[in-house]
Amino acid sequence: MHPAPSVIIFTTFSGLGFGLLFWLGLGAIKPMGWGAFLWFFIAYAMAVGGLIASTFHLGHPERAIKAFSQWQTSWLSREGIAAVFTLVVMGIYALGALFGVHMGFTGFIGAIGCLATVFTTSMIYAQLKTVPRWRHWSTPAMFLLLSIGGGALFAGQVTVAIVLLLIAAVMQYFAWMSGDGRLSHSGTNLKTATGLGTIGEVRAFEPPHTGTNYLLKEFVHVVGRKHSAKLRQITLGLAFLAPILLLLLPFNHFFALLAVLCHVAGVLTLRWLFFAEAEHVVGLYYGKR
Amino acid sequence: MTQLPSSTQKKLGLVIDLDTCVGCHACVISCKGWNTENYGAPLSDQDPYGANPTGTFLNRVHSYEVQPPNLKDGSKAAAQLIHFPKSCLHCEDAPCVTVCPTGASYKRQEDGIVLVNESDCIGCGLCAWACPYGARELDADEGVMKKCTLCVDRIYNENLPEEDRQPACVRTCPAEARHFGDFADPESNVSILTAERGGMDLMPEQGTKPVNKYLPPRPKDEAPEFDVLAPYLEPIAQDAKGFVGWLDKTLSAMPRGAK
């Protein structure tokens, strides 16, 4: 799949923003007044900034309001509704905090909304039968772990962050290893794609056009796979290992900032790989994957 | 509405005969010609006369080489070249429709055609992601999703002569490899063709239940066996006598001589 920057920025920063809002909503930290303004500003900047970034890849962003209508079947529509609901609820909670009122129940509802938003985001990818690597429970698990793990890191919840990032690292390793064989185990191959497998071995002989097209640009991306092993090591190091080590050191604001920056860079790499490595079955028709 | 109809009154679709398709790409051209100036936004091209031309097509023809397994005597059967036109299969369980966030994609209850209402399309591309067949392409100029309409603006068009009221690809095919009809009617041309020739689904394991069916290539003739003539076709110089025999033996006996 084509790793579009807008979608990588969206999934990374929205995930972190809603993760931070989750911990704020649960009351893990209860900033008041100007402190609250700063915390909620950071969280909203990431969550809303990510959502805005996601509209950059749309052909017609001016019609985006229509995307709230098909929640009965569409995970993308559900995500939009969950995001707006959560941002409104957490907005009320943040307003209270700004004026020194802690509304525990509102925050709790907002925290649930954060999880729901991240889950619906992950289901946009996990629902796709056409991308076997994504169609697995580890996809929503990873989105949720990275969101609340990264959120805990931002919120300064040292112990929780270390535990969640450790689990996330193991889970991500599992997702990569199990995902590598999922296309070949999916049962979809050039034989079923063309229906010609009953005659014999099928080979793509000539593509429809000599040039490229939308399908090849969007769905067939091979550069990511070429450097997959290296990028996976970089991801594990930056997103998980470095932040955990920095958190284990005696607390210091500089180390905390470094941990956050490493984590963000790591998750950006992780998400780039998430898209770049994923194989869409339409590539089979072109003798590619 | 992105909820799929539980059943449709008609199931309009195509039968594509892989045995007779000659790979001329006439359907590609007639499809682009009709659809770029009728239903919805034009099918744009980018850099059409430059070094790297691309463009939107609703129908593309691939070519595949199929190598049948070895014959009984262990020799290789001849490889086959099969031309493979591919457009929207108007699936009964269309995954492209249910993922659409705006309701722009829908499947018609009356005839089962899957269409895009372009004025509602935000160009998110998720429907193209959900389609295993590569039937949908986002137009680079218009930013909306384009797909085969089964020439909905031809098949019901009373301004056209009766023989033209079928999809442009079907109308133009010189090999008659494409057939249009109603699969809900067991007596229709497409239903009969599918039953007689073993019409098949593409990627049945994806669970999309495509309406369009592909007719597999008919079995090809095998290489004839030479049982009757074989004794007469033995190499003639195996037991050479006289001077040729002596020459054969002498040359063979020389270092690196052919045995």
Side-chain angles (χ1 to χ4, degrees), chain A residues 216-233:
Chain A
L216 289 169
K217 282 189 245 177
E218 188 76 3
F219 301 121
V220 182
H221 188 88
V222 288
V223 187
R225 254 166 265 145
K226 191 172 148 197
H227 303 290
S228 169
K230 251 194 203 103
L231 287 168
R232 286 178 181 185
Q233 289 166 2

Side-chain angles (χ1 to χ4, degrees), chain A residues 59-60 63 66-67 70 72-74 129-130 188 192 199 201 203 205-206 208-209 213 215 218-219 280 285, chain B residues 2-3 60-67 69 98-99 103 118-123 129-131 134 142 203 205:
Chain A
H60 283 275
R63 301 175 187 157
K66 294 186 177 188
Q70 302 302 314
Q72 290 183 67
T73 66
S74 170
K129 250 187 180 173
T130 49
T188 298
T192 69
I199 306 176
E201 285 303 316
R203 187 171 74 90
F205 185 75
E206 205 173 27
H209 294 85
N213 61 35
L215 300 171
E218 188 76 3
F219 301 121
H280 193 290
Y285 283 108
Chain B
T2 52
Q3 280 145 306
R60 292 180 186 264
V61 180
H62 296 252
S63 296
Y64 296 102
E65 179 201 77
V66 185
Q67 175 63 61
T98 52
V99 300
E118 290 175 9
S119 58
D120 278 353
C121 176
I122 56 172
W129 288 25
C131 172
E142 291 288 336
M203 291 187 186
E205 71 285 351

Side-chain angles (χ1 to χ4, degrees), chain B residues 48-231:
Chain B
Y49 304 104
N52 189 20
T54 58
T56 310
F57 286 81
L58 311 183
N59 178 37
R60 292 180 186 264
V61 180
H62 296 252
S63 296
Y64 296 102
E65 179 201 77
V66 185
Q67 175 63 61
N70 287 350
L71 298 173
K72 270 170 248 153
D73 63 357
S75 67
K76 269 211 161 156
Q80 300 171 18
L81 178 60
I82 290 154
H83 303 293
F84 193 92
K86 186 159 59 61
S87 51
C88 174
L89 308 174
H90 297 279
C91 303
E92 284 182 56
D93 214 338
C96 55
V97 171
T98 52
V99 300
C100 176
T102 67
S105 279
Y106 60 105
K107 185 172 175 68
R108 300 194 343 159
Q109 206 271 324
E110 62 268 37
D111 53 18
I113 300 180
V114 176
L115 286 176
V116 176
N117 176 358
E118 290 175 9
S119 58
D120 278 353
C121 176
I122 56 172
C124 69
L126 192 56
C127 55
W129 288 25
C131 172
Y133 307 110
R136 288 170 169 249
E137 301 189 13
L138 191 75
D139 189 84
D141 275 6
E142 291 288 336
V144 293
M145 196 52 72
K146 300 298 297 183
K147 69 175 293 300
C148 160
T149 67
L150 213 59
C151 281
V152 69
D153 46 3
R154 289 176 65 96
I155 57 177
Y156 299 116
N157 191 339
E158 292 183 358
N159 294 320
L160 295 178
E162 180 126 25
E163 64 268 29
D164 284 337
R165 288 179 212 160
Q166 45 182 325
C169 56
V170 176
R171 184 77 181 97
T172 206
C173 179
E176 291 193 11
R178 304 180 72 110
H179 307 266
F180 166 69
D182 178 13
F183 287 88
D185 172 10
E187 301 301 315
S188 70
N189 60 335
V190 286
S191 296
I192 291 168
L193 267 173
T194 305
E196 280 180 354
R197 297 273 308 280
M200 58 189 181
D201 290 347
L202 304 186
M203 291 187 186
E205 71 285 351
Q206 288 273 336
T208 53
K209 292 194 247 159
V211 169
N212 284 12
K213 302 287 181 223
Y214 282 74
L215 305 183
R218 293 182 177 92
K220 297 281 185 284
D221 291 340
E222 289 191 3
E225 293 183 27
F226 290 103
D227 277 347
V228 183
L229 289 174

Side-chain angles (χ1 to χ4, degrees), chain A residues 22-58:
Chain A
F22 170 79
W23 293 108
L24 285 168
L26 282 189
I29 41 172
K30 292 176 186 165
M32 295 288 164
W34 281 107
F37 178 81
L38 197 67
W39 279 108
F40 282 100
F41 179 81
I42 295 171
Y44 268 81
M46 289 198 291
V48 178
L51 287 168
I52 291 171
S54 77
T55 65
F56 290 163
H57 83 283
L58 297 182

